[in-house]
Amino acid sequence: MSTADAPLVERPFVVAHRGASAERPEHTLAAYDLALREGADGVECDVRLTRDGHLVCVHDRKVDRTSSGTGLVSDLTLAELREFDWGAWHGGWRSDGGIADTGLLTLHDLLNFVLDFNRPVKVFIETKHPVRFGALVENKVLGLLHRFGLASPRSADLSRAVVMSFSAAAVWRIRRAAPLLPTVLLGDASRYLGGGAATTVGATAVGPSIATLREHPELVDRAAAQGRAMYCWTVDHYEDVEFCRSVGVGWIATNHPGRTKAWLQNGLTGPRCGNGEQS
């Protein structure tokens, strides 16, 4: 996850949070297609296991918010989940000539899609915990990454995949099984300022929220001193993008990848709207 070779204007690198999720239904090919076309440097997804053992890109434990169905992801099979409408809840958007697929997305299909794109893009995979399947989630993720040839990169800097979690145990499982695969320990400042959880589990990066980072900007220098990258979420407003750039954050997750890339490429200059967002 090195940013050492990047021009200054390109920092921080932009990660599309669940795809271009402000403009398209989250975790759908439509959202990821738009994010890649808008120039995102990475894409982020949350993964959960279905009842029959498939990794699907869904954030919530329940499907109710983002689909036409109800119930727990872990109680439903892949076939049952595919019966639901995963795009209608977002409402109002129209395809601009890109991919309009808003069906359920598996991690397998997302990896296929990103790896087939015409430039290198990192995939940030967040495993959700606590879940009934426990360590099986990480085992399944690693198994899939092995099948794609992504689990043993030549170096962490060259890796196309990054695994993240709020669970320190989950990060440790990945580091133990795939030591060259980059990992991010997500969470609040107490994990980094106090007990040193990132050091204990060997995370290669730490991932505070933008609220936590604004309260503790020293986390960036502390992480750098420990040889760790900084991943910050969810950075949607102009002032927050500007702040992350000023303190040296390496990667920012945003629901607006195109707008954020444009701000960074323009040097964070230009008129802003009344809500603090650049026009």
Side-chain angles (χ1 to χ4, degrees), residues 12-23 31 35 38 40-44 231-238 240-241 251-261 263-264 277:
F13 292 123
V14 173
V15 180
H17 184 246
R18 309 176 198 172
S21 55
E23 298 181 57
E38 289 183 335
D41 304 295
V43 297
E44 183 265 358
Y231 172 98
C232 186
W233 52 274
T234 302
V235 186
D236 284 343
H237 300 291
Y238 182 92
D240 289 333
V241 175
W251 297 83
I252 56 174
T254 177
N255 296 314
H256 300 270
R259 185 176 74 184
T260 302
K261 286 289 291 188
W263 287 343
L264 290 166
E277 298 176 352

Side-chain angles (χ1 to χ4, degrees), residues 26 62 90 116 121-122 162 228-229 248 279:
E26 66 184 56
K62 294 184 176 182
H90 197 272
D116 282 346
V121 176
K122 286 186 186 289
V162 181
R228 294 188 174 87
S279 59

Side-chain angles (χ1 to χ4, degrees), residues 151-267:
S152 301
R154 286 181 293 166
S155 71
D157 289 347
L158 297 174
S159 180
R160 294 289 300 276
V162 181
V163 181
M164 313 188 294
S165 187
F166 284 90
S167 165
V171 172
W172 170 239
R173 286 192 286 268
I174 296 294
R175 292 296 291 162
R176 184 175 56 188
L180 291 181
L181 198 62
T183 52
V184 183
L185 179 62
L186 301 167
D188 60 30
S190 64
R191 314 192 77 176
Y192 322 128
L193 295 173
T199 299
T200 302
V201 302
T204 61
V206 292
S209 67
I210 183 61
T212 292
L213 191 61
R214 277 196 170 276
E215 186 177 355
H216 297 283
E218 70 274 15
L219 285 174
V220 178
D221 287 341
R222 181 173 296 216
Q226 296 171 348
R228 294 188 174 87
M230 176 63 67
Y231 172 98
C232 186
W233 52 274
T234 302
V235 186
D236 284 343
H237 300 291
Y238 182 92
E239 289 81 0
D240 289 333
V241 175
E242 187 174 43
F243 169 77
C244 286
R245 183 175 176 182
S246 70
V247 298
V249 173
W251 297 83
I252 56 174
T254 177
N255 296 314
H256 300 270
R259 185 176 74 184
T260 302
K261 286 289 291 188
W263 287 343
L264 290 166
Q265 289 168 350
N266 291 331

